[in-house]
Amino acid sequence: MDVKVKVIKTEVVTPNPPCHEHWLPFTNLDLLVPPIDTGSFLYYKKPFKHVHVAKMISDLKTSLSRALGLYYPLAGQIKANMGSELGIYCNNRGVVFIEAIADIELRELNFYEPDKNAGGKLMPERRRGVLAVQVTMLKCGGMVLACLYDHRVVDGYSVNLFTHSWANMTTLSRPPTLIPNFRRSDLNARRPRTYTPYVANMYIPLSNLRLPQTNSRSPYQDALKNQIYYIKGDQIKSLQGLASENGCPRSQMESVVSFLWKITASFLEDSGHLGYMCNLIIPMDGRRWLSDGEGIEKEKQIGARCGNVFSMPFIGIQSKDLKDMPLSKLANEVHELLESVSTKEHFKGLIDWVEDQRPKTLISRPLAENEKGASIMVTSGVKFLLKGNKDFGMGKPAFVSCYVPSARWDWHVMLLPSPVNENDWIVYMHLPKKHLNYIEAHASHLFKPLTAPYLNLVLNHCVARM
């Protein structure tokens, strides 16, 4: 159904206390992220307790101001210094905060096709600064909190840290126990710098990027769509069983990723893109590895690291070969890929290599070299996305989702935890429409369209007052 959203008020929330103005250089791992946006949605039912909406929104803005006092780069701007090196100008410019109302109930939202309401009308545009926020009250008394970030400043882990801290400061009226870490020295290159040929082959300068050709013979000819599914726990276990048939137990994540890789290859072959290289990219968080062997304090320090702290290993196999491989063989490839970067030396080497490329912004090689090839990126937020308090005065969220702007051309799948069953997963897909149709035609037993009934969204009768 068509959703009408009315903006009530737009203002700028600035940090309290303000930081001293300074320029914060991008770390070497920040330079691995091109200028793209990433977002998050938090959906709330109407709470059983009475909520005075005007006061709650006022509290949200007050706590956001205090949270920005800790996460001060989010209130800044991306700028180059005199040497043309990009970084964050921490100038307390603030965050655009939009208050809106929508003539729709939470249960009526199209969760399966978020572009039709959430992405199009409930997510703010980021026209200035690093972050934009929109709070939309629904006619049932529910609420949608949407945030859009410049990905060069934060990764998914950092978004979760910020959201958790902001929620704590809203409902508990106290600073978070985890203070964010923006120290650049944590990610400094070593002297002398050391890295392997493998690391040096992972990325190329963004200036080398060739945007995918959208001619009639290209798999990129379709505009990309966002669709959200759920996959039941027993189906995940079934895939895990197939992936482990060679006698080597494989994780649930490795098993689902292998299936997504395989069905992407099948899509390429069956849609006439014969002989294409089918690349799989798996972003891997490096916080655990960078603190490996350095004690509890170092672990806490890196665990509070706000910014981009990930590597993007990839593997490519011809789609015609990949299509016919048993899932267990693909799972072996995925396992070995993840093992190859699950070391402290890999992340240290990556930091060292980027130091030799500064101040260039870099991009994952398969995303840039896309002629006669297609790449699918699969990210997992299963372990961290639902951790921490996200109560902004409306109780626990009914659903938490990532958001990929429709304009982004990278094929991206995000694995998320289910809010209703700990064994199920939510699967957010940002793929060409024909690719999504192919998945539904060949794997509808696995991926079910996300619906309000699955999320247990029903009417309740408490009144929320403006």
Side-chain angles (χ1 to χ4, degrees):
M1 64 181 293
D2 187 40
V3 182
K4 294 180 180 178
V5 176
K6 180 181 179 181
V7 173
I8 303 299
K9 188 176 182 181
T10 300
E11 61 185 293
V12 174
V13 177
T14 56
N16 181 24
C19 69
H20 68 280
E21 292 192 16
H22 63 288
W23 185 80
L24 195 65
F26 280 155
T27 70
N28 287 2
L29 298 183
D30 290 330
L31 288 172
L32 300 177
V33 182
I36 56 175
D37 285 347
T38 187
S40 63
F41 277 111
L42 290 89
Y43 299 87
Y44 295 88
K45 299 178 184 179
K46 179 169 58 178
F48 290 102
K49 66 179 182 180
H50 168 74
V51 171
H52 193 288
V53 173
K55 182 180 184 306
M56 183 196 67
I57 291 179
S58 176
D59 290 344
L60 269 175
K61 290 184 286 190
T62 299
S63 59
L64 175 59
S65 178
R66 294 173 58 214
L68 292 173
L70 292 174
Y71 292 81
Y72 53 88
L74 297 182
Q77 296 173 271
I78 305 297
K79 283 192 173 183
N81 65 4
M82 296 297 290
S84 300
E85 183 176 357
L86 284 177
I88 311 164
Y89 182 38
C90 302
N91 59 355
N92 305 300
R93 192 180 186 203
V95 168
V96 172
F97 187 100
I98 300 170
E99 300 173 41
I101 56 174
D103 66 340
I104 193 170
E105 297 183 3
L106 184 60
R107 64 175 182 167
E108 296 172 326
L109 289 175
N110 189 336
F111 294 98
Y112 165 53
E113 299 173 296
D115 293 331
K116 293 188 175 180
N117 45 46
K121 298 180 180 180
L122 303 179
M123 176 63 68
E125 293 183 19
R126 192 183 60 81
R127 297 179 178 177
R128 50 165 280 164
V130 171
L131 167 64
V133 175
Q134 181 171 324
V135 176
T136 306
M137 301 305 301
L138 309 177
K139 70 178 184 180
C140 62
M143 181 181 82
V144 179
L145 174 59
C147 300
L148 191 64
Y149 303 82
D150 190 316
H151 202 336
R152 293 173 292 179
V153 179
V154 290
D155 58 11
Y157 183 98
S158 305
V159 167
N160 195 63
L161 285 182
F162 172 70
T163 307
H164 173 57
S165 297
W166 181 14
N168 268 347
M169 298 172 88
T170 303
T171 55
L172 302 178
S173 300
R174 68 187 185 204
T177 55
L178 185 66
I179 304 301
N181 169 18
F182 295 101
R183 284 189 297 272
R184 282 15 213 166
S185 59
D186 291 337
L187 301 180
N188 280 352
R190 297 171 294 189
R191 296 181 182 180
R193 295 188 285 277
T194 304
Y195 47 84
T196 64
Y198 173 81
V199 165
N201 187 57
M202 292 179 69
Y203 298 86
I204 63 175
L206 181 62
S207 57
N208 291 17
L209 173 65
R210 296 191 296 270
L211 288 176
Q213 298 298 310
T214 55
N215 58 59
S216 60
R217 291 177 295 175
S218 167
Y220 294 95
Q221 62 182 305
D222 279 358
L224 272 63
K225 304 292 184 183
N226 291 308
Q227 291 183 184
I228 309 180
Y229 304 85
Y230 68 92
I231 179 171
K232 298 293 291 182
D234 57 348
Q235 295 287 1
I236 297 172
K237 288 182 178 179
S238 176
L239 285 178
Q240 188 177 19
L242 293 173
S244 303
E245 282 184 342
N246 59 4
C248 299
R250 295 302 175 216
S251 70
Q252 292 188 342
M253 195 274 278
E254 290 170 337
S255 306
V256 173
V257 168
S258 298
F259 181 83
L260 288 166
W261 188 22
K262 182 179 177 69
I263 202 169
T264 299
S266 298
F267 162 70
L268 291 172
E269 288 293 300
D270 293 350
S271 59
H273 302 103
L274 306 178
Y276 267 60
M277 182 67 72
C278 185
N279 299 305
L280 171 68
I281 307 169
I282 310 177
M284 283 283 290
D285 186 88
R287 289 171 177 83
R288 170 188 172 187
W289 303 111
L290 284 169
S291 61
D292 188 35
E294 296 191 37
I296 297 297
E297 288 306 312
K298 185 67 172 182
E299 183 179 335
K300 289 180 180 178
Q301 181 179 324
I302 299 298
R305 176 78 215 166
C306 195
N308 291 289
V309 190
F310 62 87
S311 176
M312 294 176 63
F314 67 89
I315 183 173
I317 296 178
Q318 289 283 332
S319 57
K320 59 183 174 60
D321 298 327
L322 190 59
K323 176 184 176 181
D324 296 327
M325 285 184 185
L327 197 65
S328 58
K329 186 171 182 179
L330 270 69
N332 284 349
E333 298 285 352
V334 171
H335 179 79
E336 291 176 10
L337 178 67
L338 297 179
E339 285 287 300
S340 71
V341 301
S342 298
T343 67
K344 185 174 187 175
E345 181 56 35
H346 170 79
F347 284 93
K348 289 289 189 180
L350 184 57
I351 291 168
D352 287 353
W353 178 77
V354 177
E355 186 69 20
D356 284 344
Q357 319 305 314
R358 291 188 75 100
K360 299 173 185 174
T361 298
L362 304 158
I363 188 170
S364 175
R365 182 176 291 275
L367 292 180
E369 298 178 346
N370 48 60
E371 187 176 350
K372 290 292 286 183
S375 301
I376 182 168
M377 181 162 52
V378 185
T379 307
S380 177
V382 171
K383 292 185 178 179
F384 68 79
L385 193 66
L386 286 185
K387 289 184 178 179
N389 170 41
K390 291 181 176 63
D391 180 1
F392 289 90
M394 297 283 288
K396 181 181 177 181
F399 179 47
V400 179
S401 173
C402 65
Y403 171 69
V404 179
S406 297
R408 277 179 49 177
W409 53 265
D410 52 311
W411 297 8
H412 193 181
V413 176
M414 182 80 172
L415 306 176
L416 308 168
S418 167
V420 297
N421 188 322
E422 63 179 11
N423 296 317
D424 297 354
W425 288 357
I426 303 296
V427 185
Y428 186 109
M429 298 190 184
H430 178 73
L431 298 171
K433 183 61 179 175
K434 288 182 180 179
H435 193 346
L436 291 166
N437 290 343
Y438 186 90
I439 289 173
E440 292 191 1
H442 294 82
S444 60
H445 62 295
L446 294 174
F447 302 109
K448 306 291 186 182
L450 185 65
T451 62
Y454 173 80
L455 295 171
N456 294 329
L457 296 178
V458 296
L459 285 175
N460 57 46
H461 304 288
C462 294
V463 177
R465 299 177 183 173
M466 295 296 289

